[in-house]
Amino acid sequence: MSDVTRNIEEQLSAFLDGELAEEELSLLVRRLERDDSLRGTLARYATVGSVLRRDPVSDAALRFRHGVMAAIENEEETVAEPVEAVGSGRTRVVFAAAAAVIAVLGGVLLTGVDGQRPGAGAQPVAAAGDRIIDEAGMVRVAETSETGTIDRVGPAARTAIASEDGAPRTQRRMRLGRERLTSYMISHGEYSRGFPAALADSRVFIQQASFEE
Amino acid sequence: MSDRASDQLLVDRVRAGDKQAFDLLVLKYQHRIVKLIMRYVKDPAEAMDVSQEAFLKAYRAIPRFRGDSAFYTWMYRIAINTAKNHLVAARRRPLEYASEIAEPEQFDWHMNLQDADSPEREAMGDELRKIVEETIAGLPDDLRSAIVLREVDGLTYDEIAQVMECPVGTVRSRIFRAREAIDRNVRPVLDGKG
């Protein structure tokens, strides 16, 4: 056995007794972490001490620390999986929140609130400052909160209302709603004068089909 | 460096994410912890399971270990609590123990029953004990005295140096040479087992 090896093994012996000098400790710990045979030597020294003290010694006792480390590894692998699931769950929440914000903004920009019907229980469909489409099909800014029932609200606004709760398909519905609104305006508003009626009707029909996908 | 400082260095490394450092702590204290738990849990295999659980609890709790006490003292408390909890849980199962004992401390008389081990375990323990005792008997007096004072009586190097009237460095060297001689003989038996 070389002098270096003997010197290291003497350090192991002192380490086991808690008597190793500080300057030797860090280096030895690093060696132990890298060198299985050194750990084996340390384990044998510890076993010899147990035998001398008449502690119970068995095969299971000799493999004990491997069992502990394996249990730690298993536990950490198990904990790692839920973290990934939480991450994807959080991601879903973030996207849903973003979609809800887009839906609300889209509703604010494109809502076609079709007139107002005051009365008890009427729900406001546009707040003051919202851009709405009046009965003439013109986009204007609501000066006060405007109310209307669902059946009087144009399809785009209905879509916007439905999506204010942040439903996951809001973004697609908003796009489709926007397209339907455009078709509505083309076929029913003053912009329709410049288009052939058949084409406008076809467009509405096509958009209707798209919306129902 | 004291035992406590040495252990604290390992604890700090575990906290920094170094699992191998915890392996060294287990290696250092497993025999003492298993022996302690066997004062409460009669069955050796069950005691191993409880000991493993105690070390796992310690690993999970290490981020909260403040170092106010020595690591072994802290580990000792975890081990006792784990053993006691195990006993409480065991009382819900059909009685497996020879008698109902109210306090864990009353289990001391069970220690004698630990010798009633499985034949295989007894054989291995006997074989090792025989090799160790024969090797020690053949050592020079100074090496034999140093290793016995350390392992059996638990004296520190300073205390052994006072008893043997020699420098601490000499104590360290004598203890190592004794272990080296014993290891040469037990290695063929233990290799591949631990």
Side-chain angles (χ1 to χ4, degrees):
Chain A
M1 186 188 300
S2 72
D3 285 342
V4 171
T5 307
R6 275 197 93 228
N7 188 40
I8 293 172
E9 292 187 347
E10 184 176 323
Q11 290 179 359
L12 286 183
S13 173
F15 168 77
L16 190 62
D17 297 330
E19 300 272 1
L20 194 63
E22 190 172 346
E23 56 270 19
E24 296 173 301
L25 182 61
S26 296
L27 181 57
L28 181 67
V29 167
R30 283 202 294 276
R31 279 187 206 271
L32 280 165
E33 290 170 355
R34 288 195 311 263
D35 193 331
D36 272 352
S37 71
L38 274 182
R39 284 204 299 280
T41 301
L42 187 63
R44 289 195 304 275
Y45 288 175
T47 301
V48 165
S50 287
V51 171
L52 283 170
R53 288 185 298 271
R54 302 223 159 225
D55 294 343
V57 175
S58 63
D59 275 349
L62 297 173
R63 288 191 301 273
F64 179 84
R65 68 176 230 276
H66 299 297
V68 171
M69 298 313 294
I72 288 173
E73 294 284 348
N74 284 345
E75 196 170 271
E76 291 188 340
E77 281 172 13
T78 306
V79 168
E81 289 168 10
V83 168
E84 288 170 11
V86 167
S88 63
R90 283 185 185 152
T91 305
R92 284 197 293 271
V93 169
V94 167
F95 273 121
V101 168
I102 291 169
V104 170
L105 289 175
V108 167
L109 292 173
L110 298 170
T111 299
V113 178
D114 205 4
Q116 54 185 342
R117 178 184 292 179
Q123 300 297 318
V125 294
D130 285 352
R131 293 177 67 192
I132 58 174
I133 298 172
D134 62 16
E135 288 177 341
M138 300 296 293
V139 176
R140 63 178 177 85
V141 176
E143 294 177 358
T144 58
S145 292
E146 312 224 358
T147 60
T149 59
I150 295 297
D151 61 350
R152 290 197 61 194
V153 172
R158 186 184 307 134
T159 304
I161 292 163
S163 45
E164 277 173 351
D165 63 355
R169 291 161 56 195
T170 298
Q171 212 166 1
R172 186 161 69 90
R173 286 191 176 179
M174 280 309 302
R175 178 178 57 79
L176 292 170
R178 211 165 32 243
E179 288 163 352
R180 291 198 65 187
L181 175 63
T182 304
S183 299
Y184 181 86
M185 288 170 62
I186 291 169
S187 58
H188 296 92
E190 62 180 79
Y191 300 105
S192 68
R193 291 174 198 157
F195 291 88
L199 180 60
D201 288 340
S202 299
R203 192 176 303 222
V204 169
F205 177 79
I206 289 168
Q207 294 306 320
Q208 176 72 30
S210 298
F211 185 79
E212 286 174 350
E213 281 175 2
Chain B
M1 181 180 253
S2 68
D3 218 0
R4 182 169 175 167
S6 167
D7 290 348
Q8 188 59 47
L9 184 132
L10 290 174
V11 167
D12 291 341
R13 291 179 78 99
V14 176
R15 280 218 199 93
D18 183 355
K19 279 185 281 210
Q20 293 292 335
F22 191 74
D23 184 36
L24 296 178
L25 286 167
V26 174
L27 196 156
K28 198 171 169 187
Y29 292 115
Q30 69 174 72
H31 299 282
R32 279 192 252 183
I33 295 297
V34 170
K35 183 179 180 181
L36 168 67
I37 286 178
M38 285 186 80
R39 294 175 63 192
Y40 298 85
V41 179
K42 183 181 82 168
D43 181 70
E46 215 173 322
M48 289 289 169
D49 289 341
V50 176
S51 303
Q52 181 170 307
E53 195 185 329
F55 275 107
L56 276 175
K57 284 184 179 175
Y59 181 77
R60 289 181 211 126
I62 262 188
R64 298 192 297 278
F65 175 61
R66 293 189 303 272
D68 296 340
S69 59
F71 172 80
Y72 181 64
T73 307
W74 180 73
M75 185 69 229
Y76 187 97
R77 285 200 295 269
I78 291 175
I80 289 182
N81 288 337
T82 306
K84 287 184 175 177
N85 290 341
H86 178 80
L87 289 176
V88 168
R91 284 188 189 121
R92 297 193 199 109
R93 298 197 298 266
L95 183 63
E96 293 176 10
Y97 297 95
S99 62
E100 281 280 16
I101 299 176
E103 289 299 323
E105 288 70 25
Q106 296 178 31
F107 275 74
D108 274 358
W109 62 270
H110 274 270
M111 280 180 69
N112 294 331
L113 297 179
Q114 308 314 329
D115 292 336
D117 211 328
S118 74
E120 293 75 23
R121 277 193 279 267
E122 276 198 28
M124 181 182 181
D126 285 347
E127 185 186 2
L128 269 178
R129 195 167 296 121
K130 186 164 175 282
I131 293 171
V132 170
E133 287 173 358
E134 281 176 1
T135 309
I136 286 202
L139 288 175
D141 288 345
D142 53 353
L143 302 193
R144 183 170 57 247
S145 299
I147 189 76
V148 169
L149 286 171
R150 173 62 211 153
E151 291 286 18
V152 180
D153 298 322
L155 267 58
T156 65
Y157 283 16
D158 275 334
E159 290 165 341
I160 296 171
Q162 288 176 36
V163 167
M164 299 184 73
E165 295 178 335
C166 64
V168 169
T170 303
V171 170
R172 167 172 154 159
S173 171
R174 286 175 181 175
I175 291 173
F176 164 62
R177 281 155 58 197
R179 282 183 172 136
E180 190 183 27
I182 299 168
D183 187 49
R184 207 175 294 128
N185 293 337
V186 304
R187 188 169 184 167
V189 177
L190 292 179
D191 252 1
K193 289 182 191 286

